[in-house]
Amino acid sequence: MKIDLNLLPLFLAVAEEHNFRAAADRLGVTRSAVSQGMRRLEDALGTALVMRTTRSVRLTEAGEQLFEAVSRPLCDLGTALEDIATENAPRGLLRIAATSIAETFLSGPFIASFAAAYPGVTIDVTVTDEEFDIVAAGYDAGIRLGEVIEQDMIAIPLTREQREMVVASPAYLAAHGAPAHPRDLVHHRCIGWRPAPNVAPYRWEFEENGVPFDVAVEPQITTNDLRLMLRAALAGGGITFALEETFLPFVENGKLVPLLEDFLPPFPGFFVYFPQRRNMAPKMRALIKHVQDSR
């Protein structure tokens, strides 16, 4: 048995209106189209669904059975479609890929406040320094420094300008002295960072008289974990290099000392980025609003 499912809404209109003309007006079609559609449906089922009079339509027993079978699922489907189209409350799974150096985002308060403001949204954050297509990987958004975000993405500022910082503990400096120039770092014990095991340690970037340059230090300790870099530096393990916001609390309490500050200018900070989309999901609109309200 092959039935045109497009005829079921027509049948429901007839069953609920008890009148072909009223059903036609409700559906925006002609009375003849309703009559022909009902005939096609009855022919496909091999049984009469309605009893027609000049003034009204009454369901047969088979019609009552069909109405009971299809009215609730179609009503539920219509409600679901309406909810999707009109629901303003953000909800659903929000997947975010964030770089491990995004301290402002990963420190806790931003995510906690977003979760409190939008209880219907489930947040899944993957911390990764790999470069990949977030759309192909199934993420809604990413968090990265602005300078490495692809040009075809929309980027919303998450933080103010950032600045790198070189630091060491007072104990290390007392034992080994402080570098006067970035190139002196090759003579010091350094704690370096790399994003992955098969990637060379990050080259420390500086600027002198407006001219950028980098220093390829040879770290004695290398890791992809900022917390280990920080702890090793606090323990006197050497000089390390990362974003200012990572070290600032420890600089302020005297546990770390900033070095080479004249060679470290500010640069654009972190951004939330996502593909350009029409009819953006409420959960993404909520994330963007929360970012803008938090700045």
Side-chain angles (χ1 to χ4, degrees), residues 5 26 29 37 40 43 58 75 83 92 97 99 158 191 203 208 236 261 266 286:
L5 296 180
R26 170 171 155 181
V29 298
R40 286 168 52 203
D43 289 345
R58 179 175 61 84
C75 180
D83 286 347
T99 176
L158 175 65
I191 304 163
R203 297 171 70 95
E208 186 172 21
E261 292 192 280

Side-chain angles (χ1 to χ4, degrees), residues 10 28 37 58 67 82 132 197 199 217 221 226 236 271 280 285:
L10 182 149
R58 179 175 61 84
F67 180 71
E82 184 176 347
F132 58 90
V199 178
V217 300
I221 303 170
L226 281 178
F271 290 74
M280 184 178 293
R285 289 199 299 269

Side-chain angles (χ1 to χ4, degrees), residues 114-131:
F114 179 79
Y118 302 100
V121 178
T122 302
I123 308 155
D124 187 316
V125 179
T126 297
V127 179
T128 175
D129 294 301
E130 294 183 27
E131 295 185 13

Side-chain angles (χ1 to χ4, degrees), residues 10-11 13-40 42 49-59:
L10 182 149
F11 166 74
V14 171
E16 291 170 353
E17 298 292 344
H18 303 286
N19 184 282
F20 277 25
R21 184 171 298 282
D25 292 342
R26 170 171 155 181
L27 297 172
V29 298
T30 64
R31 184 184 183 284
S32 176
V34 172
S35 179
Q36 292 174 17
M38 285 297 301
R39 187 174 298 114
R40 286 168 52 203
E42 289 176 327
L49 298 174
V50 295
M51 296 292 292
R52 304 168 179 83
T53 70
T54 55
R55 285 180 284 186
S56 66
V57 173
R58 179 175 61 84
L59 294 178

